[in-house]
Amino acid sequence: MSYQINSAAVIGAGTMGLGIAGQLANAGVDVLLLDLPADGERRNAVCERAIERLLDENQPGLLHKDNLERITIGNIEDDLQKLGAVDWIAEAVVERLDIKKDLYRRIDAVRKRGSIVSSNTSTIPISLLVDGMPQDFRAEFAITHFFNPVRYMRLLELVRGKSTKQEVIDCLEQFNDERMGKGIVVCNDTPGFLGNRVGVFAIQTALHTAFRLGLKPEEADAIFGRPMGIPKTGVFGLYDLIGIDLMSDVAKSLVSILPPEDAFHKVAAEIPLMTRMIDEGFIGNKGTQGGFYRVSADGSREALDFETFGYREAEPEKPRVALDAEAASDFTLLLEDDGVYGQYAWDILSNTLCYAAELVPDVNESLVAVDDAMKLGYNWIQGPFEMIDAVGVDLFIDRLKNEGRSVPAFLAAAAGKTFYRVHGGKLQYLLADGSYRNLDRVPGVTRFSEMRRTLSPVLENKVASYFTLPGEVGLVEFHSKANTLDGESMELIAGAVKHATDNCKALIIHNDAQHFSCGVNLERVLDFIVRDDMDGIDSFLDHFQQTVLSLRDAPIPVVAAPSGLSLGGGFEVVLHCSKVIFHANSVTGLVESLVGVVPGGGGVKEMVYRWSEREGDVTKGAWQAFMNVGYGRTARSPLEAEPLALFRSGVDEYVMNRDRLLDTATKAALSMTSSRKPSARGSLVMPGREARQEMDAWLEKARAKGRLTPHDVTTGSQIAMIVTGGDIDAGTEMAEQDLLDLERKAFVTLAQTPETRARITHMLEYGSPLRN
């Protein structure tokens, strides 16, 4: 039987069910969302309240609010029969076996044969879920374990039962990969599956080790965070974020389902201090009293003192070893420290990596599945086996032995080898029998981080590299911290354009990092300002402008494939590409005004052109550019970017699955080679000084109303100067280069103000804008 998913229903409007429904709507699927009926006339009140959370501005579950139209709400008493019309029924109710099984009996009575039923459970084995159910239900049932928040977390753990049809698994795998944007890890029906089993073990190990070594929360979180290549929240920050009570329940649930000999039990004991915290309501961010951290009345960050059970000012300084490791993006530097911080890092890593090794091959035969689970489900930069390779398999084993510790069998089998290797031009991974297998992803899924291990760069410096890929395609990869851009980035791009023009059919700009590019390197800009080198700033900006123009004007197609943040100068690179393949969760915008400067790499110029074309009027286009650039407006998806002229309908595209960016971009670039047309901009008839004066007057009124600060006005006035053409008569024609010259002039003017210097310094030190 052939299975297809064109419609769906989700039962359970809690955090996970709501997230699944939202992502189904993002995928273009009509979805029915059901929960318990409410008392009174508003029978669907539970789902109505849930929908409000889906539209939360701080973490929206939808790519665009209009996607809400695809969600129909109801309740399981009045609307259960509607399940008979859908192709996939996803259950996401409370983790109680009796409630789930009762629901399944009711679902089976109304569903159509040929529909798929799945559970979002993270703890209950599939064998128990389907026990006593009819054979045809068991054949069409699976576990689909999503991670929270569903829109952003890339992992889906897919578990089949003994009776589940392979066609059901194939359908769920393809649909959730291509439409829902998930990286699929097929798991055996074992307790905790993979992601939570390793992830919660790592968190619990970090927690217990911090208490054992007497570390303060901010000390522990400075190590167990970005320096290790994992999210910056750290262990105590993560407990606060999720909820100390909830995280404690997660640990207890794993204790109840894992076998007695499992190493998890060693790090699962309740900590008296945390028991007291839960009892007295100190449960983290969702509570009113705080958790391990809280924000004081004056806005400062405080940390819990374990000795006094009171709060003190959090220590802002990070351990030197943590800063060094983060700056070098090399967690192994932590292990070289011979103090308590190095011991903390080693205890966490050695125990977690050994625990992961113990899961192969019994829990999953593939170490790739374990690595994928941690990278996609917990946002680790490297998976456990990639981390062991980075340390060195033999060095890791030797240190374990020197400490008198046992070595897991799979780790011992890797002695003298690496878990991953390049052989015959292919990336391979180690099997439990000591042989290797090619790492082949499903068609259309390509991770450049894996591909690049089989390639040698044609051009390379410390911030970027250029490669040639199979099929005569060039690729530029940024790899500086946060992928910020500087003069060396532009030199690499310029060289790549020249080489690709002579040797390739197309050029792609892409990377597998968390963010495509967070903009121009502000440290370099501040260095120019401190040295009062305004000529240096102008020269850098001119080089930047001419380089991005060379992308646009190249005789071959140039396609950008960004994900994560593409802001400021990073987005100016994107703006000048022939075509853009965005990831669905891409965040885009020109945010330079927040640090007291203007987009100086062609961003303002491009916005004036795009808005003038869209409005059919240069004056209207100038006002739109003025408002969007001045406010530093950003979009959190391509659907939000389109109304801001940051996404071109009919030209740019987006994909739901980040792992499909490179393949999609490659095909798009090669398809454009025969139809490549020059795209240089013609002259614009500018609005001139009268329009600029109107904009300046608008700025002053906004400041008088308290909506803008004095330096917002100064910055906005320079943006007005660019978009109107400055002190010229209305109707004066200006070429593209004239607008670029005005961008540089405005940037240099603002760079000489103490207010801009203060804004940049504040952003570098605190990571947030200064309102001066």
Side-chain angles (χ1 to χ4, degrees):
M1 180 175 181
S2 177
Y3 291 87
Q4 286 189 335
I5 298 173
N6 296 307
S7 58
V10 178
I11 304 179
T15 299
M16 293 306 301
L18 184 65
I20 296 168
Q23 191 67 356
L24 281 162
N26 289 333
V29 175
D30 290 331
V31 55
L32 174 66
L33 178 64
L34 304 179
D35 207 299
L36 294 170
D39 295 332
E41 295 182 0
R42 294 175 57 196
R43 299 275 288 170
N44 300 332
V46 175
C47 287
E48 289 172 0
R49 290 193 296 269
I51 292 297
E52 294 175 5
R53 300 198 308 274
L54 199 61
L55 299 173
D56 181 5
E57 279 294 314
N58 294 321
Q59 195 172 68
L62 299 177
L63 296 177
H64 193 280
K65 63 181 186 302
D66 289 351
N67 286 352
L68 189 62
E69 296 174 3
R70 298 194 179 103
I71 302 177
T72 302
I73 62 173
N75 67 80
I76 59 173
E77 284 190 9
D78 302 334
D79 304 295
L80 199 68
Q81 73 281 357
K82 294 179 181 178
L83 298 180
V86 304
D87 302 319
W88 177 23
I89 303 165
E91 168 268 306
V93 301
V94 65
E95 289 284 86
R96 275 183 50 183
L97 182 60
D98 58 334
I99 292 176
K100 290 179 184 289
K101 295 192 69 170
D102 177 67
L103 179 61
Y104 297 158
R105 285 188 284 269
R106 297 179 63 188
I107 290 172
D108 197 43
V110 297
R111 78 180 183 98
K112 65 181 180 181
R113 296 304 174 260
S115 64
I116 296 172
V117 182
S118 72
S119 174
N120 187 62
T121 184
S122 61
T123 59
I124 304 175
I126 198 170
S127 57
L128 295 180
L129 292 172
V130 299
D131 184 41
M133 294 299 296
Q135 173 59 30
D136 59 350
F137 182 90
R138 286 183 278 143
E140 295 175 334
F141 184 88
I143 288 175
T144 48
H145 179 216
F146 292 88
F147 281 66
N148 184 45
V150 178
R151 173 182 166 185
Y152 295 99
M153 297 306 295
R154 298 165 63 192
L155 178 63
L156 172 66
E157 292 182 322
L158 182 57
V159 185
R160 68 178 301 172
K162 291 182 179 179
S163 301
T164 310
K165 292 180 182 178
Q166 183 59 45
E167 296 90 339
V168 168
I169 298 299
D170 292 343
C171 176
L172 288 170
E173 188 168 3
Q174 181 178 7
F175 176 83
N176 281 284
D177 165 5
E178 297 177 5
R179 300 285 297 279
M180 297 283 275
K182 299 304 170 186
I184 312 298
V185 171
V186 179
C187 299
N188 295 335
D189 190 23
T190 55
F193 312 134
L194 278 181
N196 280 347
R197 190 159 180 185
V198 178
V200 178
F201 179 87
I203 293 167
Q204 288 297 113
T205 301
L207 180 75
H208 280 259
T209 306
F211 276 102
R212 177 170 57 82
L213 295 177
L215 296 181
K216 300 172 183 176
E218 56 269 54
E219 288 180 304
D221 288 352
I223 301 295
F224 187 72
R226 282 178 174 166
M228 279 192 184
I230 62 180
K232 65 180 181 180
T233 48
V235 58
F236 292 104
L238 183 62
Y239 254 84
D240 276 357
L241 180 66
I242 296 175
I244 296 169
D245 53 342
L246 181 57
M247 272 300 300
S248 296
D249 288 342
V250 170
K252 290 175 183 176
S253 69
L254 284 171
V255 166
S256 68
I257 61 175
L258 291 172
E261 68 277 9
D262 195 276
F264 184 84
H265 295 288
K266 297 177 182 178
V267 293
E270 292 187 14
I271 295 173
L273 176 84
M274 294 175 62
T275 301
R276 178 182 175 185
M277 291 175 70
I278 295 171
D279 290 343
E280 297 186 20
F282 293 87
I283 56 175
N285 297 355
K286 66 180 182 178
T288 58
Q289 300 186 77
F292 290 110
Y293 300 101
R294 75 175 184 186
V295 178
S296 67
D298 64 2
S300 61
R301 189 171 186 242
E302 296 180 330
L304 185 66
D305 188 303
F306 295 161
E307 297 296 327
T308 66
F309 204 73
Y311 285 93
R312 54 172 173 77
E313 185 175 351
E315 297 176 3
E317 292 297 321
K318 290 184 178 181
R320 182 73 255 169
V321 62
L323 290 173
D324 291 343
E326 183 178 345
S329 299
D330 183 2
F331 75 94
T332 63
L333 295 176
L334 297 171
L335 306 183
E336 297 175 5
D337 182 72
D338 57 6
V340 66
Y341 301 126
Q343 185 62 48
Y344 182 57
W346 168 249
D347 284 358
I348 296 170
L349 286 170
S350 61
N351 283 292
T352 301
L353 303 185
C354 283
Y355 188 71
E358 290 170 353
L359 302 182
V360 182
D362 295 337
V363 173
N364 198 297
E365 68 169 9
S366 172
L367 65 88
V368 177
V370 180
D371 280 351
D372 279 354
M374 298 316 299
K375 290 188 290 185
L376 302 179
Y378 277 78
N379 278 339
W380 289 18
I381 292 176
Q382 293 178 288
F385 296 99
E386 292 171 320
M387 295 179 86
I388 296 175
D389 275 351
V391 174
V393 174
D394 291 343
L395 288 173
F396 189 75
I397 291 174
D398 287 345
R399 186 163 177 179
L400 291 174
K401 288 181 176 179
N402 290 338
E403 295 177 356
R405 297 165 62 181
S406 61
V407 179
F410 184 52
L411 178 57
K417 303 178 180 179
T418 56
F419 285 108
Y420 293 90
R421 73 173 188 180
V422 176
H423 183 73
K426 292 280 190 177
L427 182 62
Q428 300 181 325
Y429 64 95
L430 186 69
L431 301 176
D433 63 6
S435 64
Y436 284 89
R437 177 181 296 167
N438 288 345
L439 202 175
D440 294 320
R441 300 287 181 183
V442 299
V445 169
T446 305
R447 295 181 189 166
F448 185 67
S449 56
E450 295 170 351
M451 179 187 283
R452 79 188 310 277
R453 297 181 63 172
T454 69
L455 303 170
S456 296
V458 177
L459 302 170
E460 185 176 32
N461 58 34
K462 63 183 180 182
V463 296
S465 300
Y466 165 69
F467 303 83
T468 54
L469 310 184
E472 299 180 77
V473 175
L475 184 142
V476 170
E477 177 198 39
F478 304 137
H479 46 69
S480 61
K481 183 178 179 181
N483 284 336
T484 55
L485 307 178
D486 57 18
E488 290 183 272
S489 310
M490 295 302 107
E491 288 174 9
L492 192 288
I493 291 176
V497 170
K498 185 177 186 305
H499 184 276
T501 297
D502 294 337
N503 299 278
C504 298
K505 297 177 180 177
L507 177 64
I508 294 170
I509 306 179
H510 170 72
N511 60 71
D512 263 349
Q514 182 179 8
H515 301 302
F516 176 78
S517 173
C518 293
V520 166
N521 187 331
L522 286 178
E523 291 180 348
R524 296 291 180 89
V525 174
L526 184 61
D527 181 59
F528 280 123
I529 293 173
V530 169
R531 291 188 288 107
D532 194 27
D533 185 5
M534 297 301 118
D535 288 340
I537 289 181
D538 186 72
S539 177
F540 163 67
L541 291 175
D542 182 56
H543 184 211
F544 195 114
Q545 292 173 345
Q546 300 312 311
T547 301
V548 296
L549 288 180
S550 75
L551 291 173
R552 188 198 63 192
D553 298 335
I556 58 173
V558 180
V559 175
S563 59
L565 301 180
S566 301
L567 300 175
F571 191 60
E572 287 175 303
V573 171
V574 171
L575 282 171
H576 289 85
C577 291
S578 315
K579 186 182 185 74
V580 187
I581 308 296
F582 291 95
H583 179 231
N585 290 329
S586 293
V587 178
T588 53
L590 298 168
V591 296
E592 286 87 344
S593 63
L594 301 181
V595 289
V597 292
V598 300
V604 184
K605 174 268 303 180
E606 191 63 22
M607 285 297 98
V608 173
Y609 274 99
R610 287 195 181 190
W611 276 112
S612 296
E613 292 162 359
R614 179 176 290 195
E615 295 286 348
D617 181 280
V618 178
T619 300
K620 291 181 180 179
W623 269 100
Q624 290 281 12
F626 169 71
M627 298 300 290
N628 283 278
V629 175
Y631 276 116
R633 286 175 176 156
T634 58
R636 291 171 292 189
S637 74
L639 295 182
E640 290 185 356
E642 195 279 334
L644 299 177
L646 306 176
F647 177 91
R648 299 166 295 183
S649 296
V651 177
D652 301 330
E653 302 174 23
Y654 72 91
V655 297
M656 295 291 285
N657 192 334
R658 183 170 172 164
D659 287 337
R660 291 183 173 272
L661 271 176
L662 180 54
D663 189 75
T664 304
T666 301
K667 291 177 179 176
L670 292 175
S671 72
M672 297 167 62
T673 54
S674 60
S675 59
R676 176 80 175 122
K677 296 179 181 179
S679 56
R681 299 292 197 182
S683 297
L684 286 176
V685 178
M686 301 302 295
R689 69 174 65 84
E690 185 175 336
R692 180 186 181 182
Q693 290 167 358
E694 291 175 357
M695 291 178 184
D696 285 342
W698 183 93
L699 290 167
E700 287 297 337
K701 288 180 182 178
R703 184 193 62 78
K705 294 178 181 178
R707 289 159 45 197
L708 297 178
T709 67
H711 200 54
D712 289 337
V713 174
T714 302
T715 306
S717 181
Q718 290 298 311
I719 297 170
M721 183 269 293
I722 303 168
V723 301
T724 61
D727 189 22
I728 59 173
D729 294 332
T732 301
E733 284 194 16
M734 294 189 75
E736 183 176 31
Q737 185 59 51
D738 295 325
L739 290 175
L740 293 173
D741 293 342
L742 291 180
E743 283 186 358
R744 300 199 317 278
K745 178 183 177 182
F747 196 110
V748 169
T749 298
L750 290 167
Q752 296 177 78
T753 66
E755 292 84 1
T756 286
R757 178 171 178 172
R759 283 193 178 192
I760 294 175
T761 302
H762 190 277
M763 180 62 75
L764 288 171
E765 290 184 357
Y766 302 103
S768 60
L770 174 66
R771 307 290 294 139
N772 61 351

